[in-house]
């Protein structure tokens, strides 16, 4: 499976973006999908996880109340809706998939796709 994140851009504080994780070669419906971000000079951070296998989900505390995830099985895509963005959300965002049949969190993530840059100006 290949994953591709898109939808990043430059927004002002308080703005919104919707990131898309598109998959080819497999169906995202049967795996947990995670969103990650990595800011310059910092380690990669897990932002969210959602599994349609059992409905389990996870959001890191710093984005709760601002970010949500959604899935469109027909389009084989997963979305990360980001509202009320803050400068500290600035990072490259990636999506990755867990093993087949995984719930959140999966045993391991793989298939990290090319990331998309999100920049939030103050």
């Amino acid at each position: 499976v290949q994953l591709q994140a898109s939808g990043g851009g430059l927004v002002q504080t308080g703005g919104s973006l919707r990131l898309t994780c598109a998959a080819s070669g497999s169906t995202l419906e049967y795996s947990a999908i995670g969103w990650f971000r990595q800011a310059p000079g910092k380690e990669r951070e897990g932002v969210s996880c959602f599994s349609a296998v059992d409905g389990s989900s996870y959001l890191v505390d710093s984005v709760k109340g601002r970010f949500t995830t959604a899935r469109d099985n027909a389009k084989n895509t997963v979305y990360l809706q980001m509202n009320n963005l803050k400068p500290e959300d600035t990072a490259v965002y990636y999506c990755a998939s867990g093993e087949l049949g995984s719930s959140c969190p999966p045993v391991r993530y793989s298939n990290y796709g090319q990331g998309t840059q999100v920049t939030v100006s103050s």
Side-chain angles (χ1 to χ4, degrees), residues 7-17 19 35-40 42-43 45-48 59-68 80-94 116-122:
L10 172 64
V11 297
Q12 293 183 333
T13 297
S16 298
L17 285 172
L19 304 186
W35 283 98
F36 300 82
R37 64 187 180 185
Q38 188 165 18
K42 295 187 177 181
E43 294 186 355
E45 174 188 35
V47 176
S48 73
L59 281 172
V60 69
D61 286 346
S62 60
V63 306
K64 286 181 179 178
R66 300 188 297 122
F67 291 12
T68 58
L80 181 67
Q81 178 67 44
M82 307 187 296
N83 299 324
N84 191 22
L85 283 162
K86 303 176 180 180
E88 51 263 43
D89 295 319
T90 295
V92 177
Y93 284 71
Y94 305 84
T116 185
Q117 176 71 48
V118 172
T119 303
V120 185
S121 63
S122 58

Side-chain angles (χ1 to χ4, degrees), residues 30-34 49-51 53 71 96-99 102-104 106 109:
Y30 303 118
S31 303
I33 301 298
C49 177
F50 177 77
S51 173
V53 175
R71 178 189 300 260
S97 61
E99 65 277 8
S102 52
S103 56
C104 292
Y109 283 105

